[in-house]
Amino acid sequence: QVQLVESGGGLVHPGESLRLSCAASGFIFSRFWMNWVRQAPGKGLEWLSLIKGDGTPYYADSVKGRFTISRDNLKNTLYLQMNSLKPEDTAVYYCADLGSGYWGKGTLVTVSS
């Protein structure tokens, strides 16, 4: 069955970086457009970034220039490099195939001094 498993979250200080990973299995990963979505405490879901199968990326304005999405189709893995992290980036981060409705369980990122 389809599985999406995020990892790489943790506690960092403002200005630091983290790289999230999402290991995919159970489907032909390279064919699907993959997304990163986050949910901050007490708030709704926020779409962050999309990457097409060919690697073309798209970003929400809130993270453009700080976050970089990428994928390794040979490793069936999606990445999100997050730089210059801010306290308002604190959230649970999910990878998702929005078209098919598959979501991972998320990884928590906390940005705090």
Side-chain angles (χ1 to χ4, degrees), residues 61-105:
D61 288 343
S62 59
V63 302
K64 195 176 296 182
R66 295 192 301 126
F67 290 10
T68 303
I69 193 171
S70 62
R71 65 193 298 161
D72 185 331
N73 288 336
L74 294 179
K75 295 182 178 179
N76 288 348
T77 303
L78 177 72
Y79 302 100
L80 186 68
Q81 177 67 42
M82 305 187 296
N83 298 328
S84 303
L85 284 162
K86 306 174 183 179
E88 51 265 43
D89 294 317
T90 295
V92 177
Y93 285 71
Y94 301 92
C95 66
D97 167 14
L98 298 181
S100 301
Y102 296 122
W103 291 67
K105 293 185 178 181

Short mmCIF file of all heavy atoms in Angstrom, two decimals, residues 61-105:
data_model
loop_
_atom_site.label_atom_id
_atom_site.label_comp_id
_atom_site.label_asym_id
_atom_site.label_seq_id
_atom_site.Cartn_x
_atom_site.Cartn_y
_atom_site.Cartn_z
N ASP A 61 4.49 31.99 -1.38
CA ASP A 61 5.26 33.21 -1.13
C ASP A 61 5.90 33.21 0.25
O ASP A 61 6.97 33.78 0.44
CB ASP A 61 4.36 34.43 -1.29
CG ASP A 61 3.99 34.71 -2.74
OD1 ASP A 61 4.67 34.17 -3.63
OD2 ASP A 61 3.03 35.47 -2.97
N SER A 62 5.25 32.57 1.19
CA SER A 62 5.73 32.59 2.58
C SER A 62 7.08 31.89 2.75
O SER A 62 7.78 32.14 3.74
CB SER A 62 4.70 31.96 3.51
OG SER A 62 4.44 30.62 3.13
N VAL A 63 7.44 31.02 1.82
CA VAL A 63 8.69 30.26 1.97
C VAL A 63 9.63 30.44 0.79
O VAL A 63 10.76 29.93 0.81
CB VAL A 63 8.42 28.76 2.20
CG1 VAL A 63 7.55 28.56 3.44
CG2 VAL A 63 7.78 28.12 0.97
N LYS A 64 9.20 31.16 -0.22
CA LYS A 64 10.02 31.34 -1.42
C LYS A 64 11.33 32.02 -1.05
O LYS A 64 11.34 33.00 -0.32
CB LYS A 64 9.25 32.16 -2.44
CG LYS A 64 9.81 32.12 -3.85
CD LYS A 64 8.92 32.89 -4.81
CE LYS A 64 7.56 32.27 -4.94
NZ LYS A 64 6.69 32.99 -5.90
N GLY A 65 12.42 31.45 -1.50
CA GLY A 65 13.74 32.01 -1.19
C GLY A 65 14.38 31.43 0.05
O GLY A 65 15.59 31.58 0.27
N ARG A 66 13.58 30.76 0.90
CA ARG A 66 14.14 30.15 2.12
C ARG A 66 14.08 28.63 2.07
O ARG A 66 14.94 27.96 2.62
CB ARG A 66 13.36 30.62 3.36
CG ARG A 66 13.48 32.10 3.65
CD ARG A 66 12.93 32.41 5.04
NE ARG A 66 11.53 32.04 5.17
CZ ARG A 66 11.06 31.24 6.14
NH1 ARG A 66 11.89 30.72 7.04
NH2 ARG A 66 9.76 30.96 6.19
N PHE A 67 13.04 28.10 1.45
CA PHE A 67 12.85 26.65 1.37
C PHE A 67 13.11 26.17 -0.05
O PHE A 67 12.79 26.88 -1.02
CB PHE A 67 11.42 26.28 1.77
CG PHE A 67 11.08 26.46 3.21
CD1 PHE A 67 11.92 27.13 4.09
CD2 PHE A 67 9.87 25.97 3.70
CE1 PHE A 67 11.58 27.30 5.43
CE2 PHE A 67 9.52 26.12 5.04
CZ PHE A 67 10.38 26.79 5.89
N THR A 68 13.66 24.97 -0.15
CA THR A 68 13.92 24.36 -1.45
C THR A 68 13.40 22.93 -1.45
O THR A 68 13.80 22.13 -0.60
CB THR A 68 15.42 24.35 -1.78
OG1 THR A 68 15.92 25.69 -1.75
CG2 THR A 68 15.66 23.76 -3.16
N ILE A 69 12.51 22.66 -2.38
CA ILE A 69 11.99 21.31 -2.53
C ILE A 69 12.82 20.57 -3.57
O ILE A 69 13.30 21.16 -4.55
CB ILE A 69 10.50 21.34 -2.94
CG1 ILE A 69 9.85 19.97 -2.80
CG2 ILE A 69 10.31 21.90 -4.33
CD1 ILE A 69 8.33 19.99 -2.97
N SER A 70 12.99 19.28 -3.36
CA SER A 70 13.71 18.46 -4.33
C SER A 70 13.25 17.02 -4.19
O SER A 70 12.54 16.68 -3.24
CB SER A 70 15.23 18.57 -4.14
OG SER A 70 15.61 18.08 -2.86
N ARG A 71 13.64 16.22 -5.14
CA ARG A 71 13.25 14.82 -5.11
C ARG A 71 14.35 13.97 -5.72
O ARG A 71 15.07 14.44 -6.59
CB ARG A 71 11.93 14.60 -5.84
CG ARG A 71 11.96 14.86 -7.32
CD ARG A 71 10.55 14.91 -7.90
NE ARG A 71 9.85 13.65 -7.74
CZ ARG A 71 8.52 13.52 -7.83
NH1 ARG A 71 7.78 14.59 -8.08
NH2 ARG A 71 7.95 12.33 -7.67
N ASP A 72 14.43 12.74 -5.23
CA ASP A 72 15.33 11.75 -5.81
C ASP A 72 14.44 10.59 -6.24
O ASP A 72 14.01 9.78 -5.40
CB ASP A 72 16.38 11.31 -4.79
CG ASP A 72 17.42 10.38 -5.38
OD1 ASP A 72 17.08 9.65 -6.35
OD2 ASP A 72 18.54 10.36 -4.87
N ASN A 73 14.16 10.52 -7.52
CA ASN A 73 13.24 9.50 -8.01
C ASN A 73 13.84 8.09 -7.95
O ASN A 73 13.10 7.11 -7.96
CB ASN A 73 12.80 9.82 -9.44
CG ASN A 73 11.84 10.99 -9.48
OD1 ASN A 73 11.15 11.30 -8.51
ND2 ASN A 73 11.80 11.67 -10.62
N LEU A 74 15.15 7.99 -7.88
CA LEU A 74 15.77 6.67 -7.74
C LEU A 74 15.63 6.16 -6.30
O LEU A 74 15.53 4.95 -6.08
CB LEU A 74 17.24 6.73 -8.14
CG LEU A 74 17.51 7.02 -9.61
CD1 LEU A 74 19.01 7.08 -9.88
CD2 LEU A 74 16.84 5.98 -10.51
N LYS A 75 15.63 7.08 -5.35
CA LYS A 75 15.48 6.71 -3.95
C LYS A 75 14.05 6.83 -3.47
O LYS A 75 13.76 6.58 -2.29
CB LYS A 75 16.39 7.58 -3.08
CG LYS A 75 17.87 7.37 -3.33
CD LYS A 75 18.70 8.22 -2.39
CE LYS A 75 20.20 7.98 -2.59
NZ LYS A 75 21.02 8.83 -1.69
N ASN A 76 13.14 7.25 -4.35
CA ASN A 76 11.73 7.45 -3.97
C ASN A 76 11.61 8.35 -2.74
O ASN A 76 10.86 8.05 -1.80
CB ASN A 76 11.05 6.11 -3.69
CG ASN A 76 10.80 5.31 -4.95
OD1 ASN A 76 10.94 5.82 -6.05
ND2 ASN A 76 10.46 4.05 -4.79
N THR A 77 12.34 9.44 -2.76
CA THR A 77 12.39 10.31 -1.61
C THR A 77 12.20 11.77 -2.01
O THR A 77 12.76 12.23 -3.00
CB THR A 77 13.72 10.15 -0.85
OG1 THR A 77 13.87 8.78 -0.47
CG2 THR A 77 13.74 11.01 0.41
N LEU A 78 11.40 12.45 -1.22
CA LEU A 78 11.13 13.87 -1.37
C LEU A 78 11.86 14.61 -0.25
O LEU A 78 11.95 14.09 0.87
CB LEU A 78 9.63 14.11 -1.26
CG LEU A 78 9.11 15.53 -1.31
CD1 LEU A 78 9.23 16.08 -2.73
CD2 LEU A 78 7.66 15.59 -0.85
N TYR A 79 12.35 15.80 -0.55
CA TYR A 79 13.09 16.58 0.43
C TYR A 79 12.53 18.00 0.54
O TYR A 79 11.93 18.52 -0.41
CB TYR A 79 14.57 16.68 0.06
CG TYR A 79 15.26 15.35 -0.08
CD1 TYR A 79 15.48 14.79 -1.34
CD2 TYR A 79 15.70 14.66 1.03
CE1 TYR A 79 16.11 13.57 -1.48
CE2 TYR A 79 16.34 13.43 0.91
CZ TYR A 79 16.54 12.90 -0.35
OH TYR A 79 17.17 11.68 -0.47
N LEU A 80 12.78 18.60 1.70
CA LEU A 80 12.52 20.03 1.86
C LEU A 80 13.67 20.61 2.67
O LEU A 80 13.79 20.32 3.86
CB LEU A 80 11.19 20.29 2.56
CG LEU A 80 10.79 21.76 2.63
CD1 LEU A 80 10.47 22.30 1.24
CD2 LEU A 80 9.60 21.97 3.57
N GLN A 81 14.50 21.38 2.01
CA GLN A 81 15.58 22.09 2.69
C GLN A 81 15.03 23.41 3.19
O GLN A 81 14.51 24.21 2.40
CB GLN A 81 16.75 22.33 1.73
CG GLN A 81 17.89 23.13 2.33
CD GLN A 81 18.61 22.39 3.43
OE1 GLN A 81 18.88 21.20 3.32
NE2 GLN A 81 18.94 23.10 4.50
N MET A 82 15.13 23.62 4.48
CA MET A 82 14.57 24.83 5.10
C MET A 82 15.69 25.63 5.73
O MET A 82 16.38 25.14 6.64
CB MET A 82 13.54 24.44 6.16
CG MET A 82 12.45 23.52 5.64
SD MET A 82 11.14 23.24 6.85
CE MET A 82 12.05 22.38 8.13
N ASN A 83 15.89 26.83 5.23
CA ASN A 83 16.94 27.71 5.73
C ASN A 83 16.33 28.94 6.39
O ASN A 83 15.16 29.26 6.18
CB ASN A 83 17.85 28.15 4.58
CG ASN A 83 18.56 26.98 3.92
OD1 ASN A 83 18.88 25.98 4.56
ND2 ASN A 83 18.82 27.11 2.63
N SER A 84 17.15 29.62 7.17
CA SER A 84 16.72 30.86 7.84
C SER A 84 15.38 30.67 8.55
O SER A 84 14.45 31.47 8.39
CB SER A 84 16.61 32.00 6.82
OG SER A 84 17.84 32.19 6.16
N LEU A 85 15.30 29.63 9.33
CA LEU A 85 14.04 29.29 9.98
C LEU A 85 13.63 30.35 10.99
O LEU A 85 14.48 30.97 11.65
CB LEU A 85 14.12 27.92 10.63
CG LEU A 85 14.04 26.76 9.64
CD1 LEU A 85 14.55 25.47 10.25
CD2 LEU A 85 12.60 26.59 9.15
N LYS A 86 12.32 30.56 11.09
CA LYS A 86 11.74 31.57 11.97
C LYS A 86 10.80 30.87 12.96
O LYS A 86 10.28 29.79 12.66
CB LYS A 86 10.93 32.57 11.14
CG LYS A 86 11.70 33.21 10.01
CD LYS A 86 10.77 34.07 9.16
CE LYS A 86 11.50 34.68 7.97
NZ LYS A 86 10.60 35.51 7.13
N PRO A 87 10.53 31.49 14.07
CA PRO A 87 9.58 30.89 15.01
C PRO A 87 8.23 30.57 14.37
O PRO A 87 7.59 29.57 14.72
CB PRO A 87 9.46 31.95 16.10
CG PRO A 87 10.79 32.64 16.09
CD PRO A 87 11.17 32.68 14.64
N GLU A 88 7.80 31.40 13.44
CA GLU A 88 6.52 31.16 12.78
C GLU A 88 6.55 29.97 11.81
O GLU A 88 5.51 29.60 11.26
CB GLU A 88 6.04 32.41 12.04
CG GLU A 88 7.06 33.04 11.11
CD GLU A 88 7.84 34.18 11.75
OE1 GLU A 88 8.26 34.04 12.93
OE2 GLU A 88 8.04 35.21 11.06
N ASP A 89 7.72 29.37 11.61
CA ASP A 89 7.80 28.14 10.84
C ASP A 89 7.50 26.91 11.69
O ASP A 89 7.44 25.79 11.17
CB ASP A 89 9.19 27.98 10.21
CG ASP A 89 9.49 29.04 9.17
OD1 ASP A 89 8.60 29.34 8.34
OD2 ASP A 89 10.62 29.57 9.17
N THR A 90 7.32 27.10 12.97
CA THR A 90 6.97 25.98 13.86
C THR A 90 5.65 25.37 13.42
O THR A 90 4.64 26.06 13.31
CB THR A 90 6.86 26.47 15.30
OG1 THR A 90 8.16 26.91 15.74
CG2 THR A 90 6.36 25.35 16.21
N ALA A 91 5.70 24.07 13.13
CA ALA A 91 4.52 23.39 12.61
C ALA A 91 4.82 21.90 12.46
O ALA A 91 5.98 21.47 12.57
CB ALA A 91 4.13 23.96 11.24
N VAL A 92 3.77 21.15 12.20
CA VAL A 92 3.93 19.78 11.72
C VAL A 92 3.97 19.85 10.20
O VAL A 92 3.10 20.47 9.58
CB VAL A 92 2.78 18.88 12.19
CG1 VAL A 92 2.95 17.47 11.61
CG2 VAL A 92 2.72 18.83 13.71
N TYR A 93 4.99 19.23 9.64
CA TYR A 93 5.20 19.26 8.19
C TYR A 93 4.83 17.91 7.60
O TYR A 93 5.29 16.86 8.07
CB TYR A 93 6.65 19.59 7.89
CG TYR A 93 6.99 21.05 8.12
CD1 TYR A 93 7.05 21.57 9.40
CD2 TYR A 93 7.21 21.91 7.05
CE1 TYR A 93 7.32 22.91 9.62
CE2 TYR A 93 7.49 23.26 7.26
CZ TYR A 93 7.55 23.74 8.54
OH TYR A 93 7.82 25.08 8.74
N TYR A 94 4.01 17.97 6.56
CA TYR A 94 3.53 16.77 5.89
C TYR A 94 3.98 16.74 4.45
O TYR A 94 3.96 17.77 3.77
CB TYR A 94 2.00 16.74 5.89
CG TYR A 94 1.35 16.75 7.24
CD1 TYR A 94 0.97 17.96 7.83
CD2 TYR A 94 1.08 15.57 7.92
CE1 TYR A 94 0.35 17.99 9.07
CE2 TYR A 94 0.46 15.59 9.17
CZ TYR A 94 0.10 16.80 9.72
OH TYR A 94 -0.52 16.83 10.94
N CYS A 95 4.32 15.56 3.96
CA CYS A 95 4.43 15.39 2.52
C CYS A 95 3.13 14.75 2.05
O CYS A 95 2.49 13.98 2.78
CB CYS A 95 5.64 14.56 2.13
SG CYS A 95 5.61 12.85 2.64
N ALA A 96 2.76 15.07 0.84
CA ALA A 96 1.46 14.60 0.35
C ALA A 96 1.41 14.56 -1.16
O ALA A 96 2.00 15.40 -1.84
CB ALA A 96 0.34 15.52 0.87
N ASP A 97 0.69 13.58 -1.65
CA ASP A 97 0.28 13.56 -3.05
C ASP A 97 -1.16 14.05 -3.04
O ASP A 97 -2.10 13.27 -2.79
CB ASP A 97 0.40 12.15 -3.59
CG ASP A 97 -0.29 11.97 -4.93
OD1 ASP A 97 -0.64 12.98 -5.57
OD2 ASP A 97 -0.49 10.82 -5.33
N LEU A 98 -1.34 15.33 -3.25
CA LEU A 98 -2.66 15.92 -3.10
C LEU A 98 -3.65 15.39 -4.13
O LEU A 98 -4.84 15.29 -3.86
CB LEU A 98 -2.56 17.44 -3.18
CG LEU A 98 -1.71 18.10 -2.08
CD1 LEU A 98 -1.69 19.62 -2.25
CD2 LEU A 98 -2.21 17.72 -0.70
N GLY A 99 -3.14 15.03 -5.29
CA GLY A 99 -4.03 14.53 -6.32
C GLY A 99 -4.70 13.23 -5.95
O GLY A 99 -5.88 13.00 -6.24
N SER A 100 -3.97 12.36 -5.30
CA SER A 100 -4.49 11.06 -4.90
C SER A 100 -4.97 11.03 -3.46
O SER A 100 -5.62 10.07 -3.04
CB SER A 100 -3.42 9.98 -5.07
OG SER A 100 -2.99 9.90 -6.41
N GLY A 101 -4.63 12.08 -2.71
CA GLY A 101 -5.09 12.14 -1.33
C GLY A 101 -4.24 11.37 -0.35
O GLY A 101 -4.70 11.04 0.76
N TYR A 102 -3.01 11.07 -0.71
CA TYR A 102 -2.12 10.35 0.20
C TYR A 102 -1.27 11.35 0.99
O TYR A 102 -0.66 12.25 0.41
CB TYR A 102 -1.20 9.41 -0.56
CG TYR A 102 -1.94 8.30 -1.28
CD1 TYR A 102 -1.83 8.13 -2.64
CD2 TYR A 102 -2.76 7.42 -0.57
CE1 TYR A 102 -2.50 7.12 -3.31
CE2 TYR A 102 -3.45 6.40 -1.23
CZ TYR A 102 -3.31 6.27 -2.60
OH TYR A 102 -3.99 5.26 -3.24
N TRP A 103 -1.24 11.14 2.30
CA TRP A 103 -0.50 12.01 3.20
C TRP A 103 0.36 11.16 4.12
O TRP A 103 -0.04 10.06 4.51
CB TRP A 103 -1.46 12.83 4.08
CG TRP A 103 -2.23 13.85 3.37
CD1 TRP A 103 -3.22 13.65 2.43
CD2 TRP A 103 -2.14 15.27 3.55
NE1 TRP A 103 -3.72 14.86 2.02
CE2 TRP A 103 -3.09 15.86 2.68
CE3 TRP A 103 -1.35 16.09 4.36
CZ2 TRP A 103 -3.26 17.25 2.60
CZ3 TRP A 103 -1.54 17.46 4.28
CH2 TRP A 103 -2.48 18.03 3.40
N GLY A 104 1.50 11.71 4.51
CA GLY A 104 2.26 11.11 5.59
C GLY A 104 1.68 11.53 6.93
O GLY A 104 0.71 12.30 6.99
N LYS A 105 2.31 11.04 8.00
CA LYS A 105 1.82 11.37 9.34
C LYS A 105 2.45 12.64 9.89
O LYS A 105 2.02 13.13 10.94
CB LYS A 105 2.08 10.19 10.29
CG LYS A 105 1.25 8.97 9.93
CD LYS A 105 1.42 7.85 10.93
CE LYS A 105 0.53 6.66 10.56
NZ LYS A 105 0.65 5.56 11.52
#
